[in-house]
Amino acid sequence: MPGSLRQAQYSIALFTGLLFCAAIAPVGQAQAAATDSGQAASTSSGQAASTSSGQAASTSSGHAYPARPIRMIVPFPPGGSNDIVARVVGQQLTERLGKPVVIDNRGGAGGMIGTETAIHAQPDGYTLLIISVAYAYNPWIHKLNYDPVKAVAPVAQLGTGPNSLVVHPSVPANSVKELIALARAKPGQLNYATAGIGSFQHMSSEMFRIMAGINIVHIPFKGGGPAMLAVIAGQSQISIGSLLQTLPHIRSGKLKPLGTGGARRSPALPDVPTIAEAGVPGYEANNWWGIIAPAGLSPAIVRKLNTEIAAILATPETQKWFLGEGGEAVSRTPDGFGKWILSEMDKWGKVVKQAGIKAE
């Protein structure tokens, strides 16, 4: 229903057989918006966007793109932030392109299975890949069967959001400093749940552990959903992961927030201090999301997708949704997004080396 507001809901099955439901805020038909010449551009600018050629993109067979459904691979199980963002953007991209954008969850190996599936697909615009900060540090942890720079075509960044430090309500700590003191008093007795080795939760938790100088135990799960459920159930005490994923459980009282990992406080939790101001100076860890495709994709198709996605991100509804979930809609040109990925690879490569993180 172009031009109308729609409510999308989806239910996500967790490994325990329980359902983890995420309600997506209304989003609607967007006006066109442009990013700058490759520098980071906030979608709040609302400027019009267009392809440089001004012509419609077409496939190698000469048909107007898209001519059939598009598969958007999420390289993680349902329930994580990648999945949530993919469904929000995918629904609106379906409306704008006039063809279904089908979400395909291919979890496993820290996102490597789904990533390889997408990168080795035909570069025809019908297989896209949602990536996050994990794409930037996987090359430092895993032996890749592809070149993370040369094998892909950056399409568009979608947004960014800080992590959050939460604990089960039973944990006798109401601040970051109190948690650090508790961990030092009970070394090796507190544990933190993550989506697996090399996940954003693992990386940001290890950064926290190192900078706070504490001994807490890593408990890896197969996905963000199962890890979150373990903390809600009290099987694990701590979670340091994407605020977008934890916010619904903070609001319901199932998790207790102690800090957020951005450079400034999150508008979604204005009364919760940043981890840096709450006891770990210099700490900052943000997740981000974007779309890439196999290398060799037609520049015209890349431009068309980037333009449509920029228009989606420019709508007040989408920006409001990101802010309400603790994130921020961010748009970049394909070239600008490629440069952003390189800078993130450099940053997180240093963390991997310092923490000594290795794939199992």
Side-chain angles (χ1 to χ4, degrees):
M1 298 170 58
S4 65
L5 297 179
R6 307 199 322 183
Q7 184 79 17
Q9 295 181 324
Y10 57 91
S11 299
I12 302 170
L14 298 177
F15 78 119
T16 58
L18 297 177
L19 294 180
F20 176 77
C21 297
I24 302 304
V27 288
Q29 183 74 20
Q31 306 108 5
T35 58
D36 57 20
S37 61
Q39 300 298 316
S42 169
T43 55
S44 62
S45 62
Q47 299 175 335
S50 64
T51 64
S52 61
S53 65
Q55 300 177 346
S58 62
T59 64
S60 58
S61 61
H63 296 108
Y65 174 85
R68 63 177 190 270
I70 297 170
R71 177 175 59 156
M72 185 178 292
I73 294 179
V74 177
F76 294 99
S81 65
N82 293 52
D83 184 67
I84 295 171
V85 172
R87 293 175 189 276
V88 171
V89 174
Q91 175 203 345
Q92 297 179 81
L93 200 55
T94 291
E95 295 177 356
R96 294 191 64 86
L97 294 177
K99 296 294 180 181
V101 175
V102 182
I103 305 302
D104 183 3
N105 293 92
R106 295 290 186 97
M112 299 300 300
I113 293 177
T115 298
E116 289 188 13
T117 298
I119 288 177
H120 293 149
Q122 289 294 320
D124 53 13
Y126 293 102
T127 299
L128 304 176
L129 175 69
I130 286 281
I131 64 170
S132 61
V133 66
Y135 190 84
Y137 49 69
N138 272 342
W140 305 104
I141 300 173
H142 302 277
K143 182 178 180 180
L144 306 182
N145 294 322
Y146 58 88
D147 187 312
V149 177
K150 296 180 180 180
V152 303
V155 174
Q157 187 167 356
L158 304 176
T160 185
N163 70 1
S164 60
L165 169 54
V166 297
V167 296
H168 187 269
S170 66
V171 175
N174 295 309
S175 69
V176 172
K177 289 184 178 179
E178 288 182 4
L179 179 64
I180 292 174
L182 179 64
R184 288 175 177 169
K186 298 181 177 181
Q189 296 184 43
L190 298 179
N191 65 66
Y192 66 92
T194 77
I197 294 175
S199 64
F200 178 57
Q201 294 99 319
H202 186 203
M203 297 292 292
S204 56
S205 296
E206 280 298 289
M207 182 187 291
F208 176 77
R209 180 188 65 79
I210 292 170
M211 296 182 71
I214 56 177
N215 177 10
I216 52 179
V217 180
H218 178 210
I219 306 295
F221 288 84
K222 294 182 179 180
M228 189 59 55
L229 186 63
V231 182
I232 291 173
Q235 298 170 353
S236 293
Q237 294 86 43
I238 305 168
S239 174
I240 307 179
S242 175
L243 178 58
L244 187 149
Q245 183 183 10
T246 60
L247 193 57
H249 307 297
I250 292 173
R251 289 171 172 163
S252 69
K254 295 178 181 178
L255 295 174
K256 180 167 55 177
L258 303 184
T260 55
R264 60 185 184 277
R265 293 194 181 196
S266 170
L269 294 173
D271 297 328
V272 177
T274 66
I275 295 173
E277 70 176 299
V280 187
Y283 182 92
E284 183 177 349
N286 293 287
N287 198 356
W288 50 264
W289 307 275
I291 295 177
I292 62 175
L297 179 61
S298 162
I301 293 179
V302 171
R303 287 195 300 269
K304 179 177 178 62
L305 288 170
N306 184 272
T307 297
E308 297 296 346
I309 291 168
I312 290 170
L313 298 176
T315 64
E317 293 88 355
T318 303
Q319 293 181 25
K320 182 179 179 180
W321 181 83
F322 268 102
L323 289 174
E325 298 299 323
E328 179 181 4
V330 176
S331 180
R332 298 179 194 270
T333 62
D335 182 64
F337 184 37
K339 292 177 180 177
W340 168 262
I341 293 173
L342 289 176
S343 68
E344 285 288 283
M345 289 176 65
D346 180 65
K347 170 186 174 178
W348 288 103
K350 296 174 182 176
V351 175
V352 171
K353 183 177 180 180
Q354 185 176 7
I357 298 174
K358 297 180 179 179
E360 289 185 326

